[in-house]
Amino acid sequence: TEPELLQVGLPGAARLLLCSDGLHDVVSERELGTLVARADLDAAARALVQRANDLGGPDNVTVLLVQT
């Protein structure tokens, strides 16, 4: 199977969230935006995983958060 590649332009000082369905199927987009915006990148990633777990996430939660 070939990997699917996607190239996108991001504005300066942007954050990119890549996550599994264990996060995006559980936490609302609005709340995702609020948590991603936390000042500390590591704290934001941990908060995303914690929130999905707090909401009873039925699946594994994987988060990759990158700042440009």
Side-chain angles (χ1 to χ4, degrees):
T1 303
E2 292 294 316
E4 184 175 328
L5 303 175
L6 175 66
Q7 185 174 358
V8 296
L10 297 173
R15 287 188 174 179
L16 176 64
L17 170 63
L18 300 173
C19 64
S20 64
D21 58 351
L23 180 68
H24 76 73
D25 283 352
V26 176
V27 181
S28 71
E29 283 188 37
R30 183 176 182 186
E31 194 166 11
L32 287 174
T34 299
L35 294 171
V36 166
R38 289 190 172 191
D40 180 70
L41 200 62
D42 185 57
R46 290 177 188 278
L48 289 164
V49 172
Q50 186 61 53
R51 184 62 180 143
N53 288 332
D54 289 347
L55 292 171
D59 201 352
N60 293 336
V61 179
T62 303
V63 171
L64 175 63
L65 192 54
V66 179
Q67 181 148 355
T68 60

